[in-house]
Amino acid sequence: MSRAEMDKLGWDSCDIILITGDAYIDHPSFGMALVGRLLEAQGYRVGIISQPDWTSVEPFRALGKPNLYWGITAGNMDSMVNRYTADRKIRSDDAYTPNGEPNKRPDRAVTVYCQRAREAFPGVPVIAGSIEASLRRIAHYDYWSDKVRRSVLFESKADLVIFGNAERALVDVTRRIAAGENIKSIRDLRGTAFLVPHGWLPDEEWSVHNSTRVDVPGRVDPHPNPYAMAQEDTKACATENAQPAPEVKPIVIMTREERQAAARAKAAKTVVRLPSFETVSENPVMYAHASRVFHLESNPGNARALVQQHGDRDVWLNPPPLPLAMDEMDGVYDLSYARAPHPSYGKAHIPAWEMIRYSVNIMRGCFGGCTFCSITEHEGRIIQSRSEPSILREIELIRDTTKNFAGTITDLGGPTANMYRLACKEKKIEETCRRLSCVYPTICSNLGTDHSKLISLYRKARAIPGIKKILIGSGLRYDLAVRSPEYVKELVTHHVGGLLKIAPEHTEEGTLSKMMKPGIGSYDEFKALFDKYSKEAGKKQYLIPYFIAAHPGSTDEDMLNLALWLKKNNFHLDQVQTFTPTPMAMATTMYHSGKNPLAKVTEDSEVVETAKSGKTRKLHKAFLRYYDPENWPVLREGLKRMGRGDLIGNGERHLVPPPGSELEMTPRSERKNMPLVAEARSAAPKGRVIEVATRRNNERGGRASAAGNERRGDRAPAGFTPPPSKAKPGILSTIKAKPKAAGRK
């Protein structure tokens, strides 16, 4: 972090200098610390420059010239998601900065940092990584500029982008550069992307599979005469009219294993050419086609290399990295982290650190494939888990070394809490699978759903001396959990601190199908088990549901139906998430192109209706907070436009009251002093008031992202009131929005 620290270590220079947009916290939940400790364990001298002032080149010269290369990252979050809301407004704070101070990183931080590093010491190789670089490795739709942008390789001028699980590629490329190899010649590492001349191939054995256009009807030729033995032109001479001699080819009989081996060998030497940047930037249908092809080549067991033309050069993407084995995961997380912010921050409050300091990451990856989430594009669909001993050692380390630890572990999780050690039943099946999700539209019959290893981990963790409570703060995949009632019982009895996060996301099948999420029936099934085991344990515990507004495929009627469901079940959601299109996510493709990449894409394929205008997005968000007087004018206007004015009134069957409500006329600053019964309104039964933190969907590139920006389920949020033991029956259960035949805006 400083020259003084280098002098103390006796270093005259650093081998690698890492630049990050986050505060430097030496903990494995923060990518820069993990990378730094990994390279240090390999014997390299690593310097870190945290949140440098990008308006000048001098901060990038603070540690001198790196001997090997620069390593550039925006941090645990995409810098644009970190800095802007779903409405493109600048956020007032930054969870990864001391005291939450905003504006400590630039927009498109990877690009800016790479350019400054190049300016500081020209000629030093530049390697970019992290979720921001990972999700921008090809041409991608950028929500904040509302256009398709080129690969980050062009804008940043980086020599190499390492995407996904970077440990192996990072160690290999470092060793090869240290051995004197030019970074421009390192072209064979999985999980790397780089620029090459157009048409470049590694060697003559490689072939190109052209996927630059969608299928279109071709010429229809007349059927040949099946009885013709020769040419039917009677004027041709006898020689020309003679039937050609058959070409004799030997018949080769191959076993199934030989055929599969031949196919794998061919795939290993095949690159799939995607539509060019110039094409996808102008043609939304081709953008959707490219997105579908890209995601179908995401299984490291069978993925082929990809290439995409940008002008006179190509962006070449090697296949994604192979998942880390359990001992490799243990090796990464068992390194000697200080498990604390850098001392230079003093007593500054760093929100992301405060949220994860007592939590443990037990796995990586997610096979759910939710289209709005970018975790699968970054960490992959194959679950990579740590061993029990490694996890238990970290818990003991937290107990013994973390300041102010009071005996509660706030999370044992990851991207999804209950995918620990779940995998395909057969490795060969996993390596050949091309499904986009293991759990949608149904749970694959080849997926192991046994939660016994996770149950064993929970029991051993809470038995550690000095540990009073183990809570689960990560989101839960409830359609998997119901396959193991014993797990639900274990979870509910011992590991829920009053509230448990769960993410139905929506209630309507049309929207859920675009999310690749299970139907609301799965939520109901899980809730029944949750309530049953909570009652058996003698505990009053509640589910915190997450929902997304304005997701592609969600109509005004869909959002109305969701609002009616919320009212029927007495849910008051304080803060809600409006869909944010993040680079490379499949839902982003739907948002931009209006096409559904979950199925074959053509000019005439399914059109996905999407809320894009600010007015419609505001209405969709208002439906999730139907009880808030601030939203009533928007909802009244929307309901009238939809032909549902019958839902405006003071009765139980109404969603919002008519104009002139006492609560609506009261200034917002005075409402908090009104009785709770007035806040709940006579139009709706008293229910729960739940504060749900805004989720930033593609923050999940690091453990800290998921944990640091979602409210924990271990304490009741302000304003929480327990709901009735049973939802109050009423006419709302019979109301369903009716789609309008035409004229919807």
Side-chain angles (χ1 to χ4, degrees):
M1 286 282 285
S2 68
R3 279 282 191 177
E5 289 175 291
M6 289 175 61
D7 293 340
K8 189 175 181 180
L9 292 168
W11 296 359
D12 58 350
S13 63
C14 293
D15 296 320
I16 302 120
I17 296 179
L18 306 175
I19 298 175
T20 177
D22 293 340
Y24 177 48
I25 299 174
D26 193 8
H27 186 281
S29 289
F30 294 82
M32 192 50 46
L34 188 149
V35 167
R37 290 299 183 186
L38 176 68
L39 293 173
E40 178 191 53
Q42 299 295 316
Y44 300 103
R45 295 176 294 183
V46 182
I48 292 178
I49 301 177
S50 171
Q51 297 186 316
D53 177 5
W54 68 93
T55 61
S56 168
V57 73
E58 290 309 314
F60 293 77
R61 293 172 175 156
L63 301 183
K65 180 180 180 179
N67 300 325
L68 299 180
Y69 62 82
W70 296 97
I72 310 294
T73 168
N76 270 20
M77 283 180 61
D78 181 286
S79 61
M80 301 302 287
V81 179
N82 177 281
R83 194 149 184 263
Y84 295 92
T85 69
D87 297 324
R88 299 189 178 97
K89 296 179 181 178
I90 295 179
R91 297 187 190 275
S92 59
D93 59 3
D94 181 345
Y96 292 87
T97 300
N99 296 319
E101 189 176 346
N103 303 318
K104 285 296 185 180
R105 73 186 80 212
D107 290 354
R108 313 185 200 288
V110 165
T111 292
V112 175
Y113 290 160
C114 284
Q115 292 173 350
R116 281 302 194 195
R118 186 78 76 186
E119 183 182 352
F121 294 105
V124 177
V126 176
I127 300 176
S130 79
I131 193 166
E132 180 169 313
S134 209
L135 299 184
R136 286 173 164 78
R137 57 190 185 263
I138 62 170
H140 56 279
Y141 173 73
D142 182 81
Y143 173 65
W144 298 271
S145 59
D146 193 25
K147 67 178 184 180
V148 176
R149 300 179 73 97
R150 296 187 300 173
S151 164
V152 71
L153 281 159
F154 281 90
E155 298 185 348
S156 68
K157 311 298 183 185
D159 295 294
L160 196 71
V161 163
I162 299 181
F163 58 86
N165 298 292
E167 286 89 350
R168 286 203 196 95
L170 191 63
V171 170
D172 285 349
V173 75
T174 305
R175 287 175 176 170
R176 290 167 69 169
I177 293 175
E181 191 169 348
N182 190 316
I183 193 171
K184 299 292 186 183
S185 67
I186 300 176
R187 297 290 183 254
D188 58 343
L189 294 180
R190 297 182 71 108
T192 60
F194 42 85
L195 296 178
V196 293
H198 177 58
W200 176 88
L201 293 173
D203 57 53
E204 64 278 0
E205 294 182 6
W206 278 74
S207 61
V208 178
H209 177 81
N210 193 338
S211 189
T212 57
R213 56 193 177 93
V214 297
D215 293 339
V216 294
R219 185 183 66 183
V220 179
D221 294 321
H223 291 292
N225 183 351
Y227 300 103
M229 300 299 293
Q231 296 182 36
E232 295 187 348
D233 184 0
T234 57
K235 296 181 180 180
C237 68
T239 302
E240 293 174 341
N241 201 35
Q243 183 177 3
E247 182 181 356
V248 179
K249 293 183 178 180
I251 298 175
V252 178
I253 299 176
M254 302 174 67
T255 65
R256 181 169 178 244
E257 290 74 18
E258 289 172 333
R259 290 196 304 273
Q260 291 176 339
R264 285 194 296 269
K266 182 179 180 181
K269 292 281 188 177
T270 299
V271 62
V272 177
R273 180 166 288 280
L274 300 173
S276 68
F277 161 74
E278 291 75 15
T279 298
V280 300
S281 63
E282 297 176 359
N283 188 331
V285 174
M286 294 307 299
Y287 183 94
H289 167 69
S291 175
R292 176 169 172 79
V293 173
F294 174 88
H295 284 86
L296 288 173
E297 297 294 336
S298 61
N299 182 347
N302 58 36
R304 295 168 290 184
L306 300 172
V307 66
Q308 185 178 51
Q309 183 180 359
H310 288 59
D312 60 352
R313 288 191 287 177
D314 286 343
V315 174
W316 183 285
L317 284 73
N318 281 326
L322 296 173
L324 296 184
M326 184 174 287
D327 61 333
E328 292 174 313
M329 283 281 285
D330 289 353
V332 168
Y333 284 91
D334 287 346
L335 294 170
S336 56
Y337 302 95
R339 305 188 64 84
H342 191 270
S344 63
Y345 300 128
K347 296 182 179 180
H349 172 73
I350 305 176
W353 160 244
E354 297 299 331
M355 294 303 291
I356 62 91
R357 65 190 305 179
Y358 306 131
S359 67
V360 179
N361 191 3
I362 65 174
M363 47 77 69
R364 282 186 194 169
C366 179
F367 49 66
C370 300
T371 61
F372 53 81
C373 179
S374 300
I375 194 71
T376 52
E377 287 82 3
H378 185 57
E379 292 189 5
R381 290 184 173 84
I382 297 175
I383 303 303
Q384 301 156 80
S385 301
R386 297 169 62 184
S387 69
E388 268 189 4
S390 175
I391 296 167
L392 299 177
R393 282 196 300 270
E394 184 170 352
I395 294 174
E396 292 174 341
L397 195 62
I398 292 173
R399 177 198 63 190
D400 298 337
T401 64
T402 306
K403 188 177 180 180
N404 298 325
F405 180 66
T408 298
I409 297 295
T410 54
D411 189 24
L412 288 183
T416 305
N418 62 320
M419 288 187 181
Y420 177 72
R421 298 189 70 173
L422 298 189
C424 190
K425 294 177 180 178
E426 289 190 30
K427 193 68 175 176
K428 288 184 178 179
I429 295 175
E430 177 186 89
E431 291 175 348
T432 57
C433 180
R434 295 179 71 83
R435 282 182 59 155
L436 296 174
S437 170
C438 297
V439 291
Y440 185 86
T442 59
I443 296 176
C444 179
S445 59
N446 293 311
L447 177 66
T449 58
D450 179 13
H451 286 55
S452 60
K453 292 184 176 65
L454 186 54
I455 294 171
S456 172
L457 174 63
Y458 286 177
R459 291 172 177 171
K460 292 179 181 178
R462 67 174 185 263
I464 294 175
I467 300 301
K468 300 176 183 177
K469 188 78 173 177
I470 300 282
L471 297 172
I472 304 304
S474 297
L476 193 75
R477 189 79 193 199
Y478 51 86
D479 52 344
L480 284 174
V482 297
R483 293 287 187 97
S484 178
E486 183 185 4
Y487 169 74
V488 179
K489 183 175 183 179
E490 189 80 15
L491 174 75
V492 170
T493 304
H494 301 287
H495 302 286
V496 176
L499 305 176
L500 180 69
K501 295 184 300 187
I502 196 168
E505 309 294 8
H506 216 285
T507 57
E508 303 306 292
E509 185 57 37
T511 305
L512 291 169
S513 68
K514 302 302 182 294
M515 296 176 169
M516 288 212 296
K517 290 285 290 185
I520 198 66
S522 295
Y523 167 83
D524 294 334
E525 187 178 356
F526 178 80
K527 185 178 184 303
L529 289 175
F530 182 89
D531 291 343
K532 173 187 175 184
Y533 294 129
S534 293
K535 184 177 180 181
E536 289 181 4
K539 296 182 177 182
K540 291 184 178 181
Q541 301 181 141
Y542 311 102
L543 296 175
I544 299 180
Y546 286 125
F547 297 95
I548 297 179
H551 190 278
S554 186
T555 64
D556 295 352
E557 285 76 17
D558 289 336
M559 293 307 302
L560 171 57
N561 287 334
L562 174 52
L564 295 172
W565 184 91
L566 290 171
K567 184 172 183 181
K568 174 189 173 184
N569 288 278
N570 309 310
F571 282 118
H572 289 180
L573 308 179
D574 186 36
Q575 295 181 1
V576 299
Q577 170 69 17
T578 304
F579 171 69
T580 303
T582 53
M584 254 167 42
M586 299 191 83
T588 301
T589 297
M590 299 178 200
Y591 177 92
H592 169 61
S593 68
K595 292 292 184 178
N596 184 4
L598 300 178
K600 184 178 179 180
V601 176
T602 67
E603 294 283 352
D604 301 323
S605 61
E606 180 186 2
V607 175
V608 180
E609 183 174 340
T610 302
K612 288 189 175 182
S613 72
K615 183 177 181 180
T616 306
R617 286 168 69 85
K618 186 177 181 180
L619 172 64
H620 285 202
K621 186 175 182 179
F623 272 126
L624 293 183
R625 301 186 75 243
Y626 64 90
Y627 67 90
D628 187 348
E630 298 291 325
N631 292 324
W632 291 347
V634 173
L635 291 172
R636 291 188 194 109
E637 180 186 351
L639 289 171
K640 290 176 182 177
R641 187 175 68 249
M642 296 165 63
R644 296 310 309 269
D646 59 302
L647 292 175
I648 302 172
N650 289 316
E652 182 189 335
R653 69 181 304 276
H654 299 117
L655 187 65
V656 295
S661 161
E662 177 188 356
L663 186 59
E664 188 174 19
M665 301 302 289
T666 304
R668 187 178 184 88
S669 60
E670 298 178 16
R671 289 179 198 153
K672 63 181 179 180
N673 299 320
M674 299 179 69
L676 182 61
V677 67
E679 182 71 28
R681 298 193 326 277
S682 60
K686 255 193 300 187
R688 66 184 76 184
V689 180
I690 293 180
E691 180 180 357
V692 180
T694 300
R695 291 181 302 148
R696 304 169 187 176
N697 292 312
N698 90 326
E699 294 169 20
R700 300 177 185 177
R703 177 68 197 96
S705 309
N709 295 285
E710 294 187 2
R711 179 173 293 279
R712 292 288 180 177
D714 56 349
R715 57 188 173 92
F720 179 87
T721 56
S725 59
K726 293 183 179 180
K728 183 178 178 181
I731 196 168
L732 281 171
S733 62
T734 67
I735 297 176
K736 196 76 169 176
K738 299 177 181 178
K740 294 180 69 175
R744 179 168 53 228
K745 296 181 180 180

